[in-house]
Amino acid sequence: MIELMTADDHPLIVKNIVWHDEAATAAFAQALASQPAIGRTLIELQGDLGAGKTTLVRHLLVSLGVQGRIKSPTYAVVEPYTLDSSAAHPELNIWHFDFYRFNDPREWEEAGFRDIFASPGLKLVEWPEKAGPHLPPPDLLIHIELQADESRAVTLSAYTATGAELLT
Ligand SMILES: Nc1ncnc2c1ncn2[C@@H]1O[C@H](COP(=O)(O)OP(=O)(O)OP(=O)(O)O)[C@@H](O)[C@H]1O
Ligand SMILES: [Mg+2]
């Protein structure tokens, strides 16, 4: 389903899809990774504990060519990555945030988060609702909901032209 909207506060595009298993999440990640616009995007991931946010991020990072261990940034709040020069998006800077335990607004300035969100690159944000008022609006919001049969109901909302490009 694709819905076109116009008002400023509303998404430009809303798309509902289902991931029946983790392979479907991986296929979605692969498709996102192949989009040129992925390298200049802020993606927010919403959904309950265990919905599958980190799983999507891991598949996306692997699809983009991140080598080695992918840590969950729950305690560190952010894990940075830089793709190497031979990747499809050479030397792309990527930041994976998890704001679940974030509760110190001073950290926003001190840890340089403001600078990161002002930089080009790919920012992936779990628990954006816990970042307080600091986060800029996302290009793409991905909401994941675990269903009784273990499938994931996913709502994709594009708020910018870049986000809309990712959904085409
Ligand atoms: N599409 C999927 N199909 C089946 N299982 C999945 C899928 N996505 C994730 N899972 C499983 O769900 C579990 C939790 O996933 P994950 O850690 O990604 O959740 P999360 O949303 O990041 O949770 P948290 O809010 O705690 O960070 C994992 O064991 C993972 O293997
Ligand atoms: Mg997670």
Side-chain angles (χ1 to χ4, degrees):
M1 182 193 80
I2 294 186
E3 229 172 85
L4 282 168
M5 295 169 126
T6 48
D8 276 2
D9 291 341
H10 292 291
L12 301 170
I13 298 177
V14 177
K15 219 170 164 177
N16 291 301
I17 58 174
V18 175
W19 298 332
H20 288 288
D21 51 23
E22 197 174 323
T25 302
F28 177 83
Q30 182 81 59
L32 262 192
S34 71
Q35 297 280 351
I38 193 73
R40 43 179 168 86
T41 304
L42 169 55
I43 298 179
E44 292 184 0
L45 300 123
Q46 291 188 336
D48 291 342
L49 290 168
K53 302 178 294 294
T54 302
T55 302
L56 171 61
V57 169
R58 286 209 168 99
H59 284 293
L60 183 57
L61 294 176
V62 169
S63 296
L64 287 165
V66 169
Q67 315 270 349
R69 200 162 103 81
I70 297 172
K71 288 188 276 182
S72 180
T74 305
Y75 292 95
V77 182
V78 63
E79 290 292 339
Y81 302 89
T82 303
L83 299 185
D84 38 73
S85 47
S86 61
H89 302 271
E91 326 228 326
L92 176 65
N93 288 318
I94 305 172
W95 293 271
H96 176 198
F97 287 88
D98 184 339
F99 285 111
Y100 189 71
R101 287 188 171 73
F102 181 76
N103 48 27
D104 183 357
R106 282 169 309 170
E107 195 184 342
W108 193 270
E109 298 295 338
E110 287 164 12
F113 294 167
R114 178 191 297 281
D115 298 334
I116 293 175
F117 283 100
S119 309
L122 171 60
K123 301 124 212 173
L124 302 161
V125 181
E126 294 185 52
W127 292 103
E129 54 274 60
K130 303 218 179 194
H134 308 287
L135 270 182
D139 297 295
L140 182 65
L141 173 65
I142 302 180
H143 188 274
I144 307 173
E145 202 178 313
L146 173 62
Q147 308 291 103
D149 65 356
E150 297 283 314
S151 71
R152 267 68 178 173
V154 182
T155 305
L156 306 165
S157 306
Y159 286 88
T160 64
T162 303
E165 209 179 310
L166 287 174
L167 295 185
T168 56

